[in-house]
Amino acid sequence: MPTLIFATNNQNKVNEIQSLVGSDFKIIPLKEAGIDIDIPEPHDTLQENANEKAVTIFNITNQNCFSEDTGLEIDALNGEPGVKSARYAGEGRDFQANIDKVLLHLDGIENRSAQFRTVICLLWKDEVNGLQTHYFEGTCKGHIASEMHGEKGFGYDPIFIPEGASKSFAQMSMDEKNTYSHRQKAVTQLFEFLRLK
Ligand code: IMP
């Protein structure tokens, strides 16, 4: 089975993506690749951060790899927390503190529409074309609930209700979340591309 390094330390993302890809590819997270670093996300766009993560890992391993960066973009907050989603309430990257901050900022605001956006960066090297950089993007529109619902998933899942659903991502099984999710849409494009390679 072909393997591909995924430049992440987030096991939730690994599980979601591996369940989508099935047995076509084996996804290797950083820990399994023997890499113990916290890759910085210093940029103002998801694309630049995704690129930084993939380039960092490619430079260490010299192996084909991909990374992803995801942001929650809330209309009434002018697209915030967006690229700052992980550290919205501070450097601790605390899921609960981030959720509390979103709910506080949206208190009394009627427009609660939002979207998750994922950008994947693939670094792919082959003998024909050398090293190439490819991007894939997926979005999931929805709205922010007035309080937390459910205990599954991670991050902002308990307050995000995708369009067409009546429950939050945190109330869904991983398979159900994958039918709606931003990550699934970006990952599907990535693996369609790889299958044609
Ligand atoms: P990053 O892509 O790891 O930088 O994630 C940015 C922030 O968004 C982190 O706080 C994540 O927990 C959160 N996040 C990323 N993807 C999801 C998701 O699918 N559901 C809920 N929160 C997410």
Side-chain angles (χ1 to χ4, degrees):
M1 190 193 309
T3 60
L4 194 60
I5 296 180
F6 180 18
T8 189
N9 291 311
N10 184 330
Q11 191 59 39
N12 291 288
K13 291 183 179 179
V14 177
N15 295 344
E16 283 184 17
I17 292 179
Q18 187 67 66
S19 88
L20 284 166
V21 176
S23 55
D24 290 357
F25 287 86
K26 168 92 175 93
I27 305 298
I28 317 266
L30 291 183
K31 203 171 158 198
E32 223 176 297
I35 300 167
D36 182 15
I37 54 169
D38 191 17
I39 311 172
E41 299 176 331
H43 301 290
D44 291 335
T45 65
L46 298 174
Q47 179 160 335
E48 287 170 295
N49 281 336
N51 180 269
E52 172 105 17
K53 295 188 226 187
V55 168
T56 302
I57 298 310
F58 188 87
N59 287 340
I60 295 173
T61 62
N62 199 30
Q63 285 183 52
N64 293 332
C65 64
F66 73 99
S67 68
E68 67 101 91
D69 203 36
T70 295
L72 174 63
E73 301 171 334
I74 300 175
D75 291 351
L77 304 181
N78 298 318
E80 287 215 333
V83 72
K84 301 188 206 102
S85 292
R87 296 175 173 81
Y88 192 42
E91 283 305 311
R93 293 198 244 176
D94 182 324
F95 290 162
Q96 186 62 55
N98 287 339
I99 286 177
D100 291 344
K101 187 168 174 183
V102 165
L103 292 179
L104 189 68
H105 280 316
L106 287 182
D107 192 27
I109 294 180
E110 217 167 283
N111 176 10
R112 304 185 74 90
S113 57
Q115 66 172 11
F116 272 112
R117 192 158 65 87
T118 291
V119 175
I120 288 179
C121 176
L122 170 71
L123 288 193
W124 185 266
K125 193 176 180 179
D126 61 39
E127 282 174 10
V128 183
N129 297 306
L131 181 61
Q132 309 139 58
T133 308
H134 299 278
Y135 294 96
F136 306 90
E137 184 171 319
T139 57
C140 175
K141 290 188 185 300
H143 71 273
I144 304 296
S146 53
E147 56 189 48
M148 292 173 61
H149 300 282
E151 274 152 24
K152 301 191 187 93
F154 67 102
Y156 297 94
D157 280 348
I159 55 168
F160 186 82
I161 301 177
E163 227 169 65
S166 53
K167 56 186 173 180
S168 80
F169 270 162
Q171 291 172 301
M172 297 181 183
S173 67
M174 195 167 61
D175 285 349
E176 194 176 2
K177 178 180 172 185
N178 273 341
T179 64
Y180 296 96
S181 100
H182 42 295
R183 187 164 298 103
Q184 171 271 122
K185 289 173 188 158
V187 165
T188 300
Q189 294 170 54
L190 165 67
F191 284 94
E192 271 170 18
F193 175 85
L194 289 176
R195 282 188 188 101
L196 298 174
K197 277 272 164 205

